[in-house]
Amino acid sequence: YQRRVREPTLAKASAMSSCWAESAVDVRPFAHEHVMGPESDADASTWPDVSTRRPKLASLEFNQFDCTEDELVCGLFEMYESLGLLEACHIDSDTLKRFLLRVRRMYRRVPFHNFRHAFNVAQACFAMMVSLGVGLRLTALDKFVLLTSCIAHDLDHPGFSNAFQTVAGTALSVRYNNRSVLESHHSATFQSLLTHADYDILAGLTTEQVRTFRDIAIELVSAVFANWVYQVSLYAALRIDG
């Protein structure tokens, strides 16, 4: 049975891999690791010169395809500003800009799990907090970790599913023992990024707050994020119940 199932599947995986290679998509298992050196560090001075604000950013009808990626990066920064997180969580604005620019670079040019998808998830979460009143029941730290986890939840996604990783025996599946391969990778990549001083947006938090942020972020990003709306709603409900 295993031979009948595995061999055709491996053949299909190989064919898919060749197809992606021909389309010039970066399918290296740990593509993020080659852009973490100082020679390619994002700099706040390279922040996009976009002066127009997005008035409908908190609307569930917001259409991101009306915006360039530069505008979307600026839109993410606006979300942190609008929620008052820079002041409440003592986030250095230049560090946040470097973080957002780095996150944008670490999303690969794949058809779906790319930077625009990350923005879409973050914007929907932001709209829920602002327009649907979810944020009224959350602390500043809650909002900080929710928004940031949305932004980073698919970081360095290679464009292939967990099933593909496992059947094809990729480097990622070996590293994470075939268990929640991509979720584990996204979470580890996200947490690793925060260890770099240039991108440490948690620097202004207390030790206890950092621990809380990391614990919640790991739970959110490591979970199957298809249920992210449920998770946000449940988390808000738990806060309401104390």
PDB file of all heavy atoms in Angstrom, residues 219-240:
ATOM      1  N   GLU A 219       1.830  30.279  20.241  1.00  0.00           N
ATOM      2  CA  GLU A 219       0.554  29.575  20.148  1.00  0.00           C
ATOM      3  C   GLU A 219      -0.207  29.981  18.892  1.00  0.00           C
ATOM      4  O   GLU A 219      -0.784  29.138  18.195  1.00  0.00           O
ATOM      5  CB  GLU A 219      -0.295  29.870  21.391  1.00  0.00           C
ATOM      6  CG  GLU A 219       0.201  29.201  22.651  1.00  0.00           C
ATOM      7  CD  GLU A 219       0.184  27.687  22.562  1.00  0.00           C
ATOM      8  OE1 GLU A 219      -0.787  27.134  21.986  1.00  0.00           O
ATOM      9  OE2 GLU A 219       1.132  27.048  23.047  1.00  0.00           O
ATOM     10  N   LEU A 220      -0.224  31.262  18.591  1.00  0.00           N
ATOM     11  CA  LEU A 220      -0.971  31.751  17.433  1.00  0.00           C
ATOM     12  C   LEU A 220      -0.356  31.301  16.117  1.00  0.00           C
ATOM     13  O   LEU A 220      -1.050  30.799  15.228  1.00  0.00           O
ATOM     14  CB  LEU A 220      -1.049  33.281  17.471  1.00  0.00           C
ATOM     15  CG  LEU A 220      -1.930  33.904  18.547  1.00  0.00           C
ATOM     16  CD1 LEU A 220      -1.779  35.424  18.535  1.00  0.00           C
ATOM     17  CD2 LEU A 220      -3.393  33.524  18.339  1.00  0.00           C
ATOM     18  N   VAL A 221       0.940  31.485  15.969  1.00  0.00           N
ATOM     19  CA  VAL A 221       1.590  31.178  14.697  1.00  0.00           C
ATOM     20  C   VAL A 221       1.748  29.673  14.507  1.00  0.00           C
ATOM     21  O   VAL A 221       1.644  29.169  13.384  1.00  0.00           O
ATOM     22  CB  VAL A 221       2.972  31.871  14.607  1.00  0.00           C
ATOM     23  CG1 VAL A 221       3.663  31.534  13.287  1.00  0.00           C
ATOM     24  CG2 VAL A 221       2.807  33.384  14.734  1.00  0.00           C
ATOM     25  N   SER A 222       1.975  28.940  15.587  1.00  0.00           N
ATOM     26  CA  SER A 222       2.162  27.497  15.473  1.00  0.00           C
ATOM     27  C   SER A 222       0.855  26.759  15.234  1.00  0.00           C
ATOM     28  O   SER A 222       0.854  25.633  14.757  1.00  0.00           O
ATOM     29  CB  SER A 222       2.824  26.943  16.742  1.00  0.00           C
ATOM     30  OG  SER A 222       4.120  27.477  16.916  1.00  0.00           O
ATOM     31  N   ALA A 223      -0.258  27.394  15.574  1.00  0.00           N
ATOM     32  CA  ALA A 223      -1.556  26.759  15.344  1.00  0.00           C
ATOM     33  C   ALA A 223      -1.857  26.729  13.852  1.00  0.00           C
ATOM     34  O   ALA A 223      -1.207  27.412  13.064  1.00  0.00           O
ATOM     35  CB  ALA A 223      -2.644  27.529  16.088  1.00  0.00           C
ATOM     36  N   VAL A 224      -2.831  25.936  13.463  1.00  0.00           N
ATOM     37  CA  VAL A 224      -3.263  25.933  12.064  1.00  0.00           C
ATOM     38  C   VAL A 224      -3.987  27.240  11.824  1.00  0.00           C
ATOM     39  O   VAL A 224      -5.105  27.435  12.286  1.00  0.00           O
ATOM     40  CB  VAL A 224      -4.182  24.747  11.764  1.00  0.00           C
ATOM     41  CG1 VAL A 224      -4.645  24.779  10.308  1.00  0.00           C
ATOM     42  CG2 VAL A 224      -3.468  23.440  12.066  1.00  0.00           C
ATOM     43  N   PHE A 225      -3.371  28.140  11.094  1.00  0.00           N
ATOM     44  CA  PHE A 225      -3.867  29.509  11.024  1.00  0.00           C
ATOM     45  C   PHE A 225      -5.112  29.657  10.167  1.00  0.00           C
ATOM     46  O   PHE A 225      -5.648  30.738  10.030  1.00  0.00           O
ATOM     47  CB  PHE A 225      -2.764  30.445  10.510  1.00  0.00           C
ATOM     48  CG  PHE A 225      -2.623  31.671  11.368  1.00  0.00           C
ATOM     49  CD1 PHE A 225      -1.851  31.628  12.505  1.00  0.00           C
ATOM     50  CD2 PHE A 225      -3.284  32.844  11.057  1.00  0.00           C
ATOM     51  CE1 PHE A 225      -1.718  32.735  13.297  1.00  0.00           C
ATOM     52  CE2 PHE A 225      -3.160  33.966  11.855  1.00  0.00           C
ATOM     53  CZ  PHE A 225      -2.375  33.915  12.977  1.00  0.00           C
ATOM     54  N   ALA A 226      -5.586  28.569   9.602  1.00  0.00           N
ATOM     55  CA  ALA A 226      -6.860  28.654   8.882  1.00  0.00           C
ATOM     56  C   ALA A 226      -7.971  29.029   9.852  1.00  0.00           C
ATOM     57  O   ALA A 226      -9.021  29.540   9.457  1.00  0.00           O
ATOM     58  CB  ALA A 226      -7.175  27.323   8.220  1.00  0.00           C
ATOM     59  N   ASN A 227      -7.743  28.781  11.156  1.00  0.00           N
ATOM     60  CA  ASN A 227      -8.744  29.090  12.171  1.00  0.00           C
ATOM     61  C   ASN A 227      -8.428  30.396  12.884  1.00  0.00           C
ATOM     62  O   ASN A 227      -8.846  30.600  14.022  1.00  0.00           O
ATOM     63  CB  ASN A 227      -8.804  27.950  13.207  1.00  0.00           C
ATOM     64  CG  ASN A 227      -9.310  26.665  12.593  1.00  0.00           C
ATOM     65  OD1 ASN A 227     -10.192  26.690  11.748  1.00  0.00           O
ATOM     66  ND2 ASN A 227      -8.723  25.554  12.999  1.00  0.00           N
ATOM     67  N   TRP A 228      -7.709  31.290  12.239  1.00  0.00           N
ATOM     68  CA  TRP A 228      -7.239  32.494  12.936  1.00  0.00           C
ATOM     69  C   TRP A 228      -8.380  33.388  13.403  1.00  0.00           C
ATOM     70  O   TRP A 228      -8.315  33.989  14.471  1.00  0.00           O
ATOM     71  CB  TRP A 228      -6.266  33.277  12.052  1.00  0.00           C
ATOM     72  CG  TRP A 228      -6.902  34.059  10.961  1.00  0.00           C
ATOM     73  CD1 TRP A 228      -7.189  33.622   9.711  1.00  0.00           C
ATOM     74  CD2 TRP A 228      -7.337  35.424  11.013  1.00  0.00           C
ATOM     75  NE1 TRP A 228      -7.788  34.620   8.986  1.00  0.00           N
ATOM     76  CE2 TRP A 228      -7.886  35.732   9.751  1.00  0.00           C
ATOM     77  CE3 TRP A 228      -7.320  36.411  12.000  1.00  0.00           C
ATOM     78  CZ2 TRP A 228      -8.409  36.974   9.454  1.00  0.00           C
ATOM     79  CZ3 TRP A 228      -7.845  37.654  11.694  1.00  0.00           C
ATOM     80  CH2 TRP A 228      -8.382  37.927  10.435  1.00  0.00           C
ATOM     81  N   VAL A 229      -9.452  33.481  12.617  1.00  0.00           N
ATOM     82  CA  VAL A 229     -10.584  34.311  13.045  1.00  0.00           C
ATOM     83  C   VAL A 229     -11.185  33.741  14.322  1.00  0.00           C
ATOM     84  O   VAL A 229     -11.499  34.467  15.271  1.00  0.00           O
ATOM     85  CB  VAL A 229     -11.659  34.386  11.940  1.00  0.00           C
ATOM     86  CG1 VAL A 229     -12.897  35.117  12.458  1.00  0.00           C
ATOM     87  CG2 VAL A 229     -11.119  35.097  10.708  1.00  0.00           C
ATOM     88  N   TYR A 230     -11.317  32.431  14.359  1.00  0.00           N
ATOM     89  CA  TYR A 230     -11.837  31.782  15.559  1.00  0.00           C
ATOM     90  C   TYR A 230     -10.921  32.043  16.744  1.00  0.00           C
ATOM     91  O   TYR A 230     -11.377  32.327  17.854  1.00  0.00           O
ATOM     92  CB  TYR A 230     -11.957  30.278  15.315  1.00  0.00           C
ATOM     93  CG  TYR A 230     -12.232  29.479  16.567  1.00  0.00           C
ATOM     94  CD1 TYR A 230     -13.492  29.476  17.158  1.00  0.00           C
ATOM     95  CD2 TYR A 230     -11.211  28.730  17.164  1.00  0.00           C
ATOM     96  CE1 TYR A 230     -13.741  28.751  18.317  1.00  0.00           C
ATOM     97  CE2 TYR A 230     -11.452  28.011  18.319  1.00  0.00           C
ATOM     98  CZ  TYR A 230     -12.717  28.018  18.885  1.00  0.00           C
ATOM     99  OH  TYR A 230     -12.942  27.306  20.035  1.00  0.00           O
ATOM    100  N   GLN A 231      -9.611  31.996  16.506  1.00  0.00           N
ATOM    101  CA  GLN A 231      -8.664  32.204  17.592  1.00  0.00           C
ATOM    102  C   GLN A 231      -8.766  33.626  18.149  1.00  0.00           C
ATOM    103  O   GLN A 231      -8.750  33.831  19.367  1.00  0.00           O
ATOM    104  CB  GLN A 231      -7.240  31.941  17.107  1.00  0.00           C
ATOM    105  CG  GLN A 231      -6.980  30.487  16.736  1.00  0.00           C
ATOM    106  CD  GLN A 231      -5.592  30.294  16.178  1.00  0.00           C
ATOM    107  OE1 GLN A 231      -4.624  30.807  16.742  1.00  0.00           O
ATOM    108  NE2 GLN A 231      -5.471  29.575  15.090  1.00  0.00           N
ATOM    109  N   VAL A 232      -8.846  34.602  17.250  1.00  0.00           N
ATOM    110  CA  VAL A 232      -8.955  35.993  17.697  1.00  0.00           C
ATOM    111  C   VAL A 232     -10.229  36.186  18.508  1.00  0.00           C
ATOM    112  O   VAL A 232     -10.227  36.789  19.584  1.00  0.00           O
ATOM    113  CB  VAL A 232      -8.944  36.964  16.491  1.00  0.00           C
ATOM    114  CG1 VAL A 232      -9.286  38.377  16.943  1.00  0.00           C
ATOM    115  CG2 VAL A 232      -7.569  36.956  15.828  1.00  0.00           C
ATOM    116  N   SER A 233     -11.347  35.642  18.008  1.00  0.00           N
ATOM    117  CA  SER A 233     -12.627  35.786  18.701  1.00  0.00           C
ATOM    118  C   SER A 233     -12.595  35.085  20.053  1.00  0.00           C
ATOM    119  O   SER A 233     -13.086  35.612  21.058  1.00  0.00           O
ATOM    120  CB  SER A 233     -13.756  35.209  17.838  1.00  0.00           C
ATOM    121  OG  SER A 233     -13.812  35.864  16.583  1.00  0.00           O
ATOM    122  N   LEU A 234     -12.022  33.875  20.082  1.00  0.00           N
ATOM    123  CA  LEU A 234     -11.940  33.124  21.330  1.00  0.00           C
ATOM    124  C   LEU A 234     -11.062  33.850  22.334  1.00  0.00           C
ATOM    125  O   LEU A 234     -11.391  33.948  23.523  1.00  0.00           O
ATOM    126  CB  LEU A 234     -11.392  31.720  21.061  1.00  0.00           C
ATOM    127  CG  LEU A 234     -11.175  30.831  22.302  1.00  0.00           C
ATOM    128  CD1 LEU A 234     -12.509  30.622  23.028  1.00  0.00           C
ATOM    129  CD2 LEU A 234     -10.574  29.496  21.885  1.00  0.00           C
ATOM    130  N   TYR A 235      -9.936  34.380  21.845  1.00  0.00           N
ATOM    131  CA  TYR A 235      -9.031  35.080  22.737  1.00  0.00           C
ATOM    132  C   TYR A 235      -9.724  36.295  23.357  1.00  0.00           C
ATOM    133  O   TYR A 235      -9.611  36.551  24.557  1.00  0.00           O
ATOM    134  CB  TYR A 235      -7.785  35.515  21.972  1.00  0.00           C
ATOM    135  CG  TYR A 235      -6.678  36.050  22.866  1.00  0.00           C
ATOM    136  CD1 TYR A 235      -5.957  35.183  23.687  1.00  0.00           C
ATOM    137  CD2 TYR A 235      -6.384  37.399  22.909  1.00  0.00           C
ATOM    138  CE1 TYR A 235      -4.949  35.659  24.512  1.00  0.00           C
ATOM    139  CE2 TYR A 235      -5.386  37.891  23.737  1.00  0.00           C
ATOM    140  CZ  TYR A 235      -4.665  37.002  24.531  1.00  0.00           C
ATOM    141  OH  TYR A 235      -3.672  37.494  25.350  1.00  0.00           O
ATOM    142  N   ALA A 236     -10.491  37.035  22.545  1.00  0.00           N
ATOM    143  CA  ALA A 236     -11.228  38.181  23.046  1.00  0.00           C
ATOM    144  C   ALA A 236     -12.273  37.731  24.074  1.00  0.00           C
ATOM    145  O   ALA A 236     -12.463  38.375  25.111  1.00  0.00           O
ATOM    146  CB  ALA A 236     -11.907  38.913  21.905  1.00  0.00           C
ATOM    147  N   ALA A 237     -12.933  36.614  23.799  1.00  0.00           N
ATOM    148  CA  ALA A 237     -13.952  36.104  24.719  1.00  0.00           C
ATOM    149  C   ALA A 237     -13.335  35.734  26.057  1.00  0.00           C
ATOM    150  O   ALA A 237     -13.902  35.996  27.124  1.00  0.00           O
ATOM    151  CB  ALA A 237     -14.654  34.887  24.113  1.00  0.00           C
ATOM    152  N   LEU A 238     -12.153  35.138  26.002  1.00  0.00           N
ATOM    153  CA  LEU A 238     -11.467  34.757  27.232  1.00  0.00           C
ATOM    154  C   LEU A 238     -11.088  35.983  28.045  1.00  0.00           C
ATOM    155  O   LEU A 238     -11.146  36.001  29.272  1.00  0.00           O
ATOM    156  CB  LEU A 238     -10.214  33.928  26.908  1.00  0.00           C
ATOM    157  CG  LEU A 238     -10.480  32.526  26.336  1.00  0.00           C
ATOM    158  CD1 LEU A 238      -9.163  31.863  25.942  1.00  0.00           C
ATOM    159  CD2 LEU A 238     -11.219  31.674  27.360  1.00  0.00           C
ATOM    160  N   ARG A 239     -10.710  37.066  27.324  1.00  0.00           N
ATOM    161  CA  ARG A 239     -10.360  38.302  28.019  1.00  0.00           C
ATOM    162  C   ARG A 239     -11.606  38.905  28.697  1.00  0.00           C
ATOM    163  O   ARG A 239     -11.539  39.431  29.795  1.00  0.00           O
ATOM    164  CB  ARG A 239      -9.772  39.322  27.051  1.00  0.00           C
ATOM    165  CG  ARG A 239      -8.467  38.905  26.397  1.00  0.00           C
ATOM    166  CD  ARG A 239      -7.350  38.752  27.385  1.00  0.00           C
ATOM    167  NE  ARG A 239      -7.073  40.005  28.083  1.00  0.00           N
ATOM    168  CZ  ARG A 239      -6.067  40.153  28.946  1.00  0.00           C
ATOM    169  NH1 ARG A 239      -5.270  39.138  29.209  1.00  0.00           N
ATOM    170  NH2 ARG A 239      -5.855  41.310  29.550  1.00  0.00           N
ATOM    171  N   ILE A 240     -12.739  38.792  28.018  1.00  0.00           N
ATOM    172  CA  ILE A 240     -13.990  39.318  28.577  1.00  0.00           C
ATOM    173  C   ILE A 240     -14.352  38.571  29.872  1.00  0.00           C
ATOM    174  O   ILE A 240     -14.773  39.153  30.856  1.00  0.00           O
ATOM    175  CB  ILE A 240     -15.154  39.157  27.554  1.00  0.00           C
ATOM    176  CG1 ILE A 240     -14.895  40.074  26.351  1.00  0.00           C
ATOM    177  CG2 ILE A 240     -16.490  39.493  28.204  1.00  0.00           C
ATOM    178  CD1 ILE A 240     -15.885  39.870  25.236  1.00  0.00           C
TER     179      ILE A 240
END
